[in-house]
Amino acid sequence: MLLEHDAMEKAMSQTRSRTGLAVRLLVPTLAVGVLAGAPAHAVSGSEAAGGAGFGFVAAIDAGGRGCTGALINPWWVVTSAVCFSDNGQLPAAGAPSRPATVTVGRPDLTTTTGHLVAVTTLVPRTDRNLVLAKLATAVTDVAPVALATSPAAAGQTLTVVGYGRTATEWVPDAQHSAQFTVDATATTTFTITGATPDAAICKGDAGGPALRDAGGRLELVGLHHTAWQHGCYTETETRQGAVETRTDDLATWIAENAALPRDGDFNDDGKADIAGIDGRGDMRLYTGNGAGLLSGGALMWTATPGGFGGFKAIATGDFNSDGKADIAGIDANGDMRLYTGNGAGLLSGGALMWATRGSWGAFKAIVGGDFNGDGKADIAGIDGKGDMRLYTGDGAGLLSGGALMWTAVLGGWGAFKAIAPGDFNGDGKADIAGIDGKGDMRLYTGNGAGLLSGGALMWTANPGGFGGFKAIAPGDFNGDGKADIAGIDANGDMRLYTGNGAGLLSGGALMWATRGSWISFKAIV
């Protein structure tokens, strides 16, 4: 049988030459019976997890071409680049050339569970059969798959999942899974063989995940690339086995290219900005240039001039899951309110985020971040007793909870002057940095489950050097992928302290040329 997509096979020949297999692509075309608008469906084996399935496994319809993929965070799916190829060419970065959709959280495609979401953006990898696909809206109620950071080793058993054909069905209605054993690993691929005679990877499975059990947690080690398709519907091939695209060595690349919406990027240019309440009570936007400098100062809220004058604290995050940075704040009445961003530097709304009126009146400071690892923006805050508490977001603009985040010393945050969120130690979990009563900047690392630990110094050059600071804000202001802290010093100057990704700060350069310009600002994010 001739190879499908010959030009793409040529493009991938370097990858396959490392494995010694001339196996066939797994992407069906319209010519082999995949109907437009209906994704081709599964790995030939048993129905996945007895029908419960793997929620993060995605069925992809790329303009009538069916594939499988995996949700790696609320906004991104990873799959086979071949799925989006045109005329045998690797897909270009940007919008897909044909309308494409992802169905995720729906192991049984005959049900209405989960989500059907359009693909807006592609980020292809040039050295292997892999592409990142961004979703039009975040999927916040399906747990993403974890990414492995070590390669699949010979002899390991993996679970492979897909929506492609089975041994008896041309277009199944559910995920299927099977066990495979790793044969050998190469630079960008590895080979596998079915652990049982009926285990097969079929057309429609391209881009589906190969999963390893790591202490009870499944992690993604590869994606289905090519296979002999032994045991698949209508196939007579007797040779067994498949080639997988490695993903374990791409953690850094994926983190950089499948980034979550940046908190504090209010104009959607990919650079961290600063919003702040000036002395007149107006919310103003200062856009970052990605190199540590700010410009602008435009109004973000024009409905009521001076309307933020009575606000006690503000925080930023994507609280309504639309991919745009919002601002939450405690107003003069002690109510928590949400002002949604439009991605172009303006705010609207002002809806209540917490039903009990006046409940936030005693809070000293608040910050936004995904502190419990569910993909939704939460708010942490220092209450009137000096305790740090967590209020989890529902992804639709409402909060719940109020659990303690720091139990080592009750009331231990009472003397803190300012706090800022961010992943300051590079472990992928939201932390909180803060200026304590002595004027030292300290780091409290998050565990991804709503608790904090630590308290190490982040700035040792000048003990107590942050004592005069009025406000601080987090962001990657210099574009190096590490969380920094900007702050207004005692002289009213905005200064940048760059993070090293390991919990320490350096620098202190001016971000705004006019000295003392920030002296009247009440709060920044």
Side-chain angles (χ1 to χ4, degrees):
M1 183 176 184
L2 294 176
L3 291 173
E4 297 175 357
H5 310 303
D6 291 339
M8 177 60 76
E9 281 292 288
K10 184 176 181 180
M12 295 297 171
S13 62
Q14 182 179 6
T15 299
R16 283 212 325 277
S17 66
R18 296 191 182 102
T19 69
L21 288 175
V23 288
R24 289 175 292 172
L25 286 172
L26 301 167
V27 179
T29 66
L30 292 175
V32 293
V34 180
L35 299 178
H41 314 267
V43 167
S44 182
S46 60
E47 188 168 310
F54 303 84
F56 56 77
V57 177
I60 299 172
D61 176 8
R65 181 180 294 162
C67 295
T68 305
L71 186 74
I72 54 174
N73 69 41
W75 286 96
W76 292 85
V77 166
V78 63
T79 186
S80 165
V82 179
C83 191
F84 293 92
S85 67
D86 283 313
N87 300 318
Q89 301 299 313
L90 286 170
S97 61
R98 302 178 306 277
T101 59
V102 168
T103 302
V104 65
R106 191 178 298 174
D108 182 348
L109 294 174
T110 64
T111 70
T112 58
T113 61
H115 305 270
L116 176 64
V117 187
V119 174
T120 64
T121 308
L122 301 177
V123 180
R125 179 79 183 186
T126 57
D127 67 340
R128 66 193 75 183
N129 184 9
L130 182 147
V131 69
L132 300 172
K134 187 176 183 180
L135 306 179
T137 57
V139 174
T140 59
D141 58 353
V142 176
V145 66
L147 299 176
T149 56
S150 61
Q156 285 184 338
T157 298
L158 305 180
T159 298
V160 303
V161 188
Y163 282 96
R165 301 175 190 174
T166 67
T168 58
E169 297 175 286
W170 184 274
V171 183
D173 290 323
Q175 295 173 1
H176 284 69
S177 64
Q179 302 295 305
F180 275 70
T181 302
V182 178
D183 299 322
T185 299
T187 305
T188 60
T189 62
F190 61 92
T191 53
I192 57 176
T193 301
T196 59
D198 64 339
I201 298 176
C202 305
K203 289 180 180 179
D205 292 328
L211 305 167
R212 177 172 59 196
D213 187 329
R217 182 188 74 162
L218 290 176
E219 59 182 20
L220 179 70
V221 294
L223 303 174
H224 311 329
H225 173 33
T226 46
W228 287 114
Q229 299 178 51
H230 162 74
C232 300
Y233 188 67
T234 74
E235 295 292 338
T236 59
E237 177 62 60
T238 59
R239 288 169 290 186
Q240 193 177 21
V243 180
E244 299 288 296
T245 299
R246 283 181 60 180
T247 59
D248 62 276
D249 58 333
L250 299 181
T252 299
W253 180 82
I254 289 174
E256 292 173 350
N257 289 279
L260 296 171
R262 291 175 182 264
D263 292 344
D265 177 15
F266 296 103
N267 63 350
D268 279 354
D269 66 353
K271 301 169 185 175
D273 310 314
I274 289 180
I277 303 173
D278 68 13
R280 296 178 179 178
D282 291 326
M283 183 74 75
R284 293 190 177 273
L285 173 63
Y286 296 82
T287 56
N289 70 347
L293 297 178
L294 301 172
S295 62
L299 288 172
M300 298 182 73
W301 175 262
T302 59
T304 307
F308 288 92
F311 275 67
K312 300 181 177 183
I314 55 176
T316 185
D318 179 17
F319 297 108
N320 63 349
S321 301
D322 66 352
K324 301 169 185 174
D326 311 314
I327 292 179
I330 303 172
D331 68 14
N333 298 317
D335 293 330
M336 180 70 76
R337 294 191 176 273
L338 174 61
Y339 296 83
T340 57
N342 70 346
L346 296 177
L347 300 172
S348 62
L352 290 170
M353 298 182 74
W354 182 265
T356 307
R357 306 296 296 271
S359 301
W360 298 81
F363 274 71
K364 297 183 58 180
I366 58 172
V367 291
D370 178 16
F371 297 104
N372 63 351
D374 66 354
K376 303 170 187 176
D378 313 312
I379 288 181
I382 303 173
D383 67 13
K385 297 179 180 179
D387 292 328
M388 181 70 76
R389 294 191 176 273
L390 174 61
Y391 295 83
T392 57
D394 68 348
L398 297 178
L399 301 172
S400 62
L404 288 170
M405 298 183 74
W406 175 261
T407 58
V409 182
L410 293 179
W413 296 82
F416 273 70
K417 298 181 177 182
I419 54 176
D423 178 16
F424 296 106
N425 63 350
D427 66 354
K429 301 170 185 175
D431 313 313
I432 293 179
I435 303 173
D436 67 13
K438 297 179 179 179
D440 291 325
M441 183 74 76
R442 294 191 176 273
L443 174 62
Y444 295 83
T445 57
N447 71 346
L451 297 177
L452 300 172
S453 63
L457 288 171
M458 299 182 74
W459 175 263
T460 58
N462 181 16
F466 289 93
F469 274 67
K470 301 182 63 179
I472 56 176
D476 176 17
F477 295 106
N478 64 350
D480 66 354
K482 301 169 185 175
D484 311 314
I485 289 179
I488 303 173
D489 68 14
N491 298 316
D493 293 329
M494 180 69 76
R495 295 191 176 273
L496 173 61
Y497 295 83
T498 56
N500 71 345
L504 296 178
L505 300 173
S506 62
L510 289 170
M511 299 181 74
W512 183 263
T514 307
R515 306 296 296 270
S517 300
W518 298 80
I519 194 71
S520 66
F521 274 71
K522 300 180 58 178
I524 59 173
V525 288

